[in-house]
């Protein structure tokens, strides 16, 4: 059964900072945000975690394998290199959504996101690396079937963007409400979802739901592992297999169909 | 009347590159994409343009003030520092949506986004800097009224994210279909829209529409200028005014209410 | 005759910051410094200037073509994205060394580099873009003849590094004392010097001096232009010519040999 | 006794790449190099190693604690995000200089630095993390006594730079020839040296030598640890102690004076 450690990353008092003493130049803010995200992505990535940019001032990370000390060092390196600081809170649950609910509550208990005195909070429990198991994290990597031929090369860029966003919105809502999974757009026509233990038939139902409600044809590869990186790389490989076989759902683990049984 | 120069930025053959010879590590791709965007944001930003990350492999920029030579240098600096190259196409129209349609077509005419031989295309016409006028660009900067108190500090992080996305989706669709405006989420609870000439009452109707359909309460500041930066900074200032006065729509130009007359 | 605008970039109160409240992690400082330099290099570079990392907390830039407003924007973008701020002072002279002396004095007059209250100073005069001339900047690009075959592939990496440094030190001293030129190591076996008007025979003498005193065999290409970028690109092309013809000094301008007459 | 694992990082075939098909814009190269260094510094730094920029195309790292798999991942992440690749070779010895000699030979045996077919070499042996000991790495952190008051605030910026460089050159030569230590300028007035086991009296002699030959007054803090980060942070703390006590040499370990006995 999955046991996903989720970390909420929140830039401290960011909104007020962006307009003090007067609104800061938008392109500088965009650069700041995207580089901060890139740095977190590398830092967490070399420890086999994933970070999703989400709203940029609030990011969600899958951090199985990262200790409290790792989280402290994230705070240190941001403080040393950026004009802003970050608060972090972590929680672990079978359901990624539940873990994030708990992590969010821990941070909200420490004060408002726009409280100038609430900085560099670090809350939560961290999985002991020794207790990691090979099915702690389940990652589903979705993309749109022939997105380039169907959309990018055919529609105008904004229409394509809207179509992808519509499919993503339906997927995000369905996975969250029905399964407690957290889906994030990661660029192009790709969505990566951190899922609880789900069966292949569950994924098939998700793909059907999105096609029925938005007419977007998705494909998904699913992997699992001790860490987001392990699970995510297997998911990508499974997605490649799905492309080759022109199937809609491919699970990387044991045997197709068995994914529900663990 | 607005006369917006829009540039479509497309990473050449990016999808295949990300999986060749096998899927590349996701955190590296995320880092690559967000840094490429950050660099473009700075490059275009110092020339007073805006870039929106959109799908990351396809980005949309407002480039009034940037010449063909500037676009060539973007291609050069990316080629010199990244493992990928970019194609660019630009078009200008009173309607930002029309400009992007034209820019997209120019690029599609040059070949598929996944054609390995179609690299570093540069197409389109560029506004002469001497012909820029003070109302060429109209920018509307939206945010959610008391997003922190209503959502960030109250709901869990994913629920907040979904609420913001819902508001954004409604706004994006309405502005695009009704007005030919292009709206982009830029982080936090902020959306920046590149608009055609629109009246204050139009913006009030947009805000009402989003509230009626999604229950998200938006505020907007509107500015205009020769460039995205000029218009955008005025829009931010207007948004600050709206916060102080607790109004929903503030226009930075001439006198409030006159914005419809140009 | 050259008329070089030199800008001194100084991180404000940097030393104390690096040890407050306790010494900051070295790898974070290295990352901060090198990224700050990279950003300045891009910012100044897209305006056709050059920045040299020098001591990293004090950097020297050739900024012909950059106005006071450009310098203000450098300060703004650093403030918006880094935990430190920068002071800038600029001066122009026929001799790059004289210009830097004057720029340094302007900044020293404003207070100590470690005065916590002396932040974001901007001093000096800026060349009017309209008055730029095609021989304002003279750049000499040096490298070591067959550095790879002679050193990199033969000696151990530190011995090679020391040899290159020795050649560079002799070159730097000679150019500075004899001509008022400013030479900077830029990586590999490359040194770029900002020079006053100098004749081809002067460069030949420099190359001889370095060979006689350190046994390092240098080659140099020289260019001139309105900006560092123009002059520097011509210098690189001239250096390529020198490699092809196996000569030691190549001037890009009018005719070889005439460089002394202007 | 020290047991320092040194890694040589070499950009593959970099010289030819910088001029193919024609010389690339210098500011792009500077940006590429310094960002590549910054990324390596972070990557190695979060594993408690140090990287020195050295010549940028050839960098030297202290990598105690980094495994072969870590080195492979460095190559992967560079390949995924840069237009260049890197070769790595590692060796371990009591003398850092000996380790680098061996690492260099391993790489030279694989082919020339400018051989287009010699890419992503990975050679050498890596210390088992289980066998790390608390005195494997000895780091000496030097700075110039009152550099700001004596130089930065008094001389012009280039004269200061030259003075710092002269002190550094003398220090580098002495440490290398006499002790087999590797000293690197790291910005400002700071030099970090990776040393073999050396006594406090050895450091005092180094400081005297530099003062006698160049009139530069150095201070040094010395630390040791399992990793560069441990040793280096202790060295920085010792340097702070030296500043407070106005001494010239401070060792962080056991008792001052005992550093020679291990």
């Amino acid at each position: 059964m999955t046991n996903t450690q989720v970390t909420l990353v929140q830039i401290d008092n960011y909104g007020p900072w962006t307009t003090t003493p007067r609104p800061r130049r938008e392109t500088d803010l965009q650069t700041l945000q995207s580089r901060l995200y890139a740095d977190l992505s590398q830092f967490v990535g070399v420890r086999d975690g994933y970070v999703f940019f989400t709203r940029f001032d609030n990011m969600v990370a899958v951090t199985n394998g990262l200790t409290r000390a790792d989280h402290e060092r994230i705070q240190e390196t941001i403080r040393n290199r950026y004009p802003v600081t970050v608060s972090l809170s972590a929680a672990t649950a079978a359901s990624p959504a539940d873990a994030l609910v708990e992590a969010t509550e821990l941070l909200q208990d420490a004060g408002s996101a726009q409280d100038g005195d609430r900085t560099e909070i670090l809350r939560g429990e961290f999985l002991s690396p020794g207790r990691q198991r090979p099915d702690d994290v389940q990652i589903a990597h979705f993309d749109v079937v022939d997105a380039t031929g169907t959309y990018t090369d055919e529609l105008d860029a904004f229409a394509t963007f809207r179509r992808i966003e519509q499919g993503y919105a339906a997927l995000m809502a369905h996975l969250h409400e029905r399964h407690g999974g957290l889906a994030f757009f990661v660029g192009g026509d790709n969505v990566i979802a951190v899922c609880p233990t789900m069966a292949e038939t569950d994924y098939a139902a998700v793909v059907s739901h999105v096609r029925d409600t938005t007419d977007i044809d998705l494909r998904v590869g699913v992997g699992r592992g001790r860490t987001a990186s392990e699970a995510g790389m297997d998911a990508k490989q499974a997605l490649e297999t799905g492309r080759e076989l022109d199937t809609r759902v491919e699970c990387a683990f044991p045997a197709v169909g068995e994914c529900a049984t663990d």
Side-chain angles (χ1 to χ4, degrees), chain A residues 180-223:
Chain A
L182 305 175
F184 301 92
F185 176 66
V186 294
D189 59 319
N190 291 257
V191 170
I192 294 180
V194 192
C195 295
T197 303
M198 284 172 59
E200 190 170 358
T201 48
D202 293 327
Y203 290 106
V206 168
V207 168
S208 294
H209 170 80
V210 173
R211 190 169 42 222
D212 292 347
T213 53
T214 69
D215 205 35
I216 302 282
D217 190 13
L218 294 177
R219 170 176 287 134
V220 62
V222 188

Side-chain angles (χ1 to χ4, degrees), chain A residues 124-253:
Chain A
E125 301 293 323
F126 301 85
L127 278 174
S128 165
R131 293 186 46 211
Q132 291 181 266
R133 290 171 314 166
D135 58 355
D136 278 349
V137 183
Q138 186 162 135
I139 295 278
H141 195 128
F142 295 85
D143 76 356
V144 176
V145 175
D146 193 22
T148 300
T150 312
Y151 302 108
T152 309
D153 291 347
E154 292 300 319
L155 303 183
D156 80 272
F158 202 79
T160 297
F161 176 48
R162 281 185 57 195
R163 291 295 287 142
I164 305 276
E165 285 273 318
Q166 284 163 5
Y168 166 46
L171 173 58
M172 173 168 69
H174 188 81
L175 266 179
H176 192 224
E177 290 165 14
R178 197 66 69 88
H179 298 284
L182 305 175
F184 301 92
F185 176 66
V186 294
D189 59 319
N190 291 257
V191 170
I192 294 180
V194 192
C195 295
T197 303
M198 284 172 59
E200 190 170 358
T201 48
D202 293 327
Y203 290 106
V206 168
V207 168
S208 294
H209 170 80
V210 173
R211 190 169 42 222
D212 292 347
T213 53
T214 69
D215 205 35
I216 302 282
D217 190 13
L218 294 177
R219 170 176 287 134
V220 62
V222 188
R224 63 187 182 200
R226 292 172 189 280
T227 61
S229 176
E230 267 183 43
M233 192 52 90
D234 279 2
K236 284 173 172 244
Q237 300 275 16
L239 187 62
E240 286 299 292
T241 304
R243 279 182 190 135
E244 283 159 25
L245 305 178
D246 197 25
T247 54
R248 288 299 177 268
V249 183
E250 288 293 332
C251 289
F253 28 91

Side-chain angles (χ1 to χ4, degrees), chain A residues 26-47:
Chain A
E26 188 61 33
T27 47
D28 284 347
L29 298 178
Q30 294 299 311
T31 302
L32 170 69
Q33 292 170 6
S34 48
R35 287 202 182 157
L36 181 53
Y37 167 65
D39 277 354
L40 286 172
S41 192
Q42 277 302 112
F43 188 101
V44 169
V46 296
R47 283 169 172 75

Side-chain angles (χ1 to χ4, degrees), chain A residues 81-124:
Chain A
R81 299 191 288 115
Y82 285 92
V84 295
T85 56
V86 294
S87 286
L88 304 174
S89 67
T92 303
S95 154
D98 289 350
L100 184 55
V101 166
E102 190 184 331
T104 308
E105 284 172 357
L106 288 171
L107 193 50
Q108 287 167 342
D109 285 350
S112 169
Q114 297 198 352
D115 176 348
D117 294 327
R118 197 224 64 182
T119 58
E120 297 199 319
I121 302 300
L122 177 58
R123 294 273 172 100

Side-chain angles (χ1 to χ4, degrees), chain A residues 4-9 44 49-52 54 59-64 71 100 184 194:
Chain A
T4 311
Q5 179 175 301
V6 172
T7 299
L8 174 61
V9 181
V44 169
Y50 271 14
V51 187
F52 301 100
T54 325
M59 293 176 267
V60 175
V62 181
T63 56
N64 292 62
H71 282 72
L100 184 55
F184 301 92
V194 192

